[in-house]
Amino acid sequence: MNPESAILDPTWTALLYLLAAVCFILALKGLSSPKHARRGNLVGAFGALVALVTVFLASRLVNIPWILGAIVVGAAVAAPVARRVRMTQMPQLVAMFNGVGGGAAALVALLELPHADDGWLRLAIAFTLLVGAVSFAGSCVTFAKLQELMTTRPVVFPGLPVVMGVVLVAAVGAGAAVVMSGSAGVAVVLLVVGLVVGVLLVLPVGGADMPIVISLLNAFTGLAVAASGLVLGNVLLVVAGTLVGASGTILTRLMAAAMGRSVAGIMFGAFRGGSTAGSTTVSERPVRSSSAEDVAILLGYAQRVIIVPGYGLAVAQGQHTAAELAQALEARGIDVEFAIHPVAGRMPGHMNVLLAEANVPYESLKEMSEVNGDFKQADVALVVGANDVVNPAAKSTPGSPIYGMPILEAGDARQVVFLKRSMRPGFAGIENELLYEPQTTLLFGDAKESLTKVLTAVKAL
């Protein structure tokens, strides 16, 4: 780049970067509410566009054909994927976004190393290389687990803590060598070590904890981008990366608190057998099952119904049918709410986005803290494709993988109806005692098909 021949002078460059930074802040503010999330996304995208155009105008870039070619290829790949991805696969897409961001920051740092003649600058490069590589490799493993390309169970082996310790020591040593020598060969070694750390970090985490991993790796990517901003001398990258890193860290801590566990316990619990693990064991204990018509009678003559959506609803693409059922019940004068657990689904806010897509009114989406007291006044709690987030073992069974995790108190309702595909447990791999309580009824089948049958029966009442 040749800043001296830039089209924009430094004052306009700074003002445009400030505009982009304000857009990023407003985007985060908008994303804090489902009602304003779409607007927040658009504001953030506009800020990114301003930042991109400013980079082109603030410097005379070399190799412009290569740059434009990379943008075209990236857009050609990303746009169709983003448009076609199903809502149930959105966590996988977010995981890959995290990984690509961290990997890009690491590659930029590697390319800038030959031009770094200052120890502090090389320190920023070493940090970006390590954290960016960890984010990339960890996100790839997260994607594989979410896509079920590999087991969702924690993957551990004898001596894993020792191996992790050795690799971390190697990372610190390689980082120090990069700072002192500026060797490109050692930098590549640091990059490879970072990839190994990322894999070892995520492998021991069970499928139920993937939302925490996504959020944590998002924070890692933000830190890597902020450090790359120091490497490139770009203030906007520092601001944007810091915003992502800070918001990702806060979200990770909030979600861990919602699960009643520490971040360290979630990430390293498998080392001592305390992490959640997926299970395929089907229970053979007897339960009380029912027909769609009987469930419709329970719902149709209730005064208050609380619907608890889970990942099974997302997999079945049943959100629109659930919304239509809620409308049919409300037309009969029934009070209907949706109870949203902080870690329902496979990523933060998954259920909120899913139901907002189906035009469920935002005021009907109740967070756990505000809805739990309503279950005692509810005639029916309709649990659709959820399991662990209503499992009483979180309160009653010390040693359980989910013990201490705050849950939705669906068992306090007068009647509980579970819409389940089978008796398989959730990602935590444990039975839900609520399924065997006398007030609980199960309707087996695909969530969307079951909801459709119930909806038809309600309309026929």
Side-chain angles (χ1 to χ4, degrees), residues 134-309:
V134 169
S135 176
F136 176 76
S139 296
C140 289
V141 177
T142 302
F143 174 86
K145 284 185 176 250
L146 291 169
Q147 194 67 17
E148 297 185 359
L149 299 177
M150 62 178 295
T151 178
T152 59
R153 288 174 172 268
V155 177
V156 295
F157 53 86
L160 175 58
V162 176
V163 174
M164 177 66 86
V166 171
V167 172
L168 289 176
V169 170
V172 173
V178 169
V179 174
M180 292 184 293
S181 68
S183 168
V186 178
V188 172
V189 171
L190 177 60
L191 186 67
V192 173
V193 171
L195 295 174
V196 176
V197 172
V199 172
L200 294 178
L201 183 68
V202 180
L203 278 180
V205 183
D209 293 326
M210 282 300 107
I212 297 291
V213 177
I214 291 175
S215 182
L216 182 63
L217 292 176
N218 182 57
F220 282 5
T221 295
L223 294 175
V225 170
S228 70
L230 295 176
V231 172
L232 295 173
N234 188 297
V235 176
L236 184 60
L237 277 178
V238 176
V239 172
T242 302
L243 287 173
V244 174
S247 59
T249 301
I250 293 171
L251 180 59
T252 301
R253 290 178 58 86
L254 289 175
M255 292 180 65
M259 298 177 73
R261 300 156 66 196
S262 67
V263 176
I266 291 170
M267 299 301 298
F268 306 111
F271 290 166
R272 57 180 185 273
S275 182
T276 54
S279 173
T280 58
T281 302
V282 179
S283 174
E284 296 182 356
R285 296 170 60 183
V287 294
R288 186 159 65 103
S289 60
S290 186
S291 66
E293 289 73 18
D294 291 335
V295 172
I297 291 173
L298 277 178
L299 296 173
Y301 292 99
Q303 292 182 330
R304 189 169 200 173
V305 173
I306 299 179
I307 301 175
V308 181

